[in-house]
């Protein structure tokens, strides 16, 4: 058996006769698969684009989610600060003049203060945060009605809170 760089001599079935064979080639996909790949090029690019878009969308979604969460958290904190400030002013009024509000209004102010303290300000992932915020809003409306201060607090939209949409 004699070998050359590109050509192999392969013994034939008959002793003494040798035949020349083609150079050895690496096995590859059939020709039909090459044509299928060319014909399905659009579909392949659509699939790749879909995957790229999905990865990019997830990344951007996290960034936008953080920005929106920060903004909404700030709005909620601002609203709770407003309520806490109102409560502090009313408590100070009662300390200065215990007769300034009716007994029913005093109970409402006290209940409003208790509701404010239940707000999970240090736990923003608490699932009850919106329920507590709505309870605080309700108590605030009750106290404002009991104090007869509708006109003073009407400018502040407490039903939806400073343009919040949730």
């Amino acid at each position: 058996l004699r070998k050359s760089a590109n050509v192999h001599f392969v013994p034939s079935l008959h002793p003494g006769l040798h035949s020349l064979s083609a150079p050895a080639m690496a096995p590859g996909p059939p020709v039909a698969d090459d044509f299928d790949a060319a014909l399905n090029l659009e579909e392949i690019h659509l699939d790749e684009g879909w995957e790229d878009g999905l990865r990019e969308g997830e990344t951007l979604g996290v960034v936008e989610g953080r920005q929106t969460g920060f903004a909404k958290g700030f709005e909620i904190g601002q609203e709770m600060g407003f309520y806490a400030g109102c409560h502090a002013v009313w408590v100070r009024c009662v300390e200065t003049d215990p007769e300034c509000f009716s007994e029913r209004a005093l109970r409402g102010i006290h209940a409003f203060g208790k509701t404010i303290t239940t707000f999970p300000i240090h736990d923003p992932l608490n699932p009850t945060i919106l329920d507590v915020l709505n309870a605080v809003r309700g108590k605030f409306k009750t106290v404002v009605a009991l104090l007869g201060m509708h006109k003073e607090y009407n400018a502040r939209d407490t039903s939806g809170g400073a343009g919040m949409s949730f």
Side-chain angles (χ1 to χ4, degrees):
L1 187 62
R2 198 174 103 193
K3 291 184 181 178
S4 168
N6 291 330
V7 179
H8 300 281
F9 289 99
V10 181
S12 70
L13 297 176
H14 300 292
L17 295 176
H18 299 288
S19 65
L20 189 62
S21 70
M25 296 179 69
V31 174
D33 286 344
D34 287 339
F35 288 125
D36 286 343
L39 292 174
N40 293 329
L41 192 59
E42 181 180 4
E43 186 176 325
I44 291 168
H45 286 296
L46 281 172
D47 290 342
E48 288 175 1
W50 180 270
E51 293 299 320
D52 290 345
L54 189 62
R55 278 191 305 276
E56 187 70 22
E58 287 174 349
T59 302
L60 290 176
V62 168
V63 170
E64 286 184 25
R66 284 187 182 147
Q67 291 172 348
T68 303
F70 184 79
K72 290 297 180 184
F74 183 80
E75 287 177 10
I76 291 172
Q78 185 178 18
E79 185 177 358
M80 286 303 299
F82 171 77
Y83 295 140
C86 290
H87 180 259
V89 167
W90 295 331
V91 167
R92 181 68 177 178
C93 288
V94 171
E95 288 173 357
T96 305
D97 181 13
E99 303 291 321
C100 66
F101 301 128
S102 69
E103 190 62 36
R104 189 171 177 200
L106 291 174
R107 284 193 310 267
I109 292 171
H110 181 69
F112 178 59
K114 278 188 174 182
T115 307
I116 289 174
T117 59
T118 63
F119 187 81
I121 194 78
H122 297 292
D123 185 13
L125 299 178
N126 189 327
T128 64
I129 199 164
L130 294 178
D131 295 333
V132 175
L133 180 61
N134 286 330
V136 169
R137 288 174 180 159
K139 294 285 185 187
F140 176 78
K141 288 179 181 180
T142 302
V143 171
V144 167
L146 290 171
L147 297 177
M149 298 183 169
H150 295 287
K151 291 182 182 177
E152 288 83 355
Y153 293 102
N154 198 20
R156 171 108 172 135
D157 180 21
T158 57
S159 62
M164 286 190 264
S165 60
F166 52 85

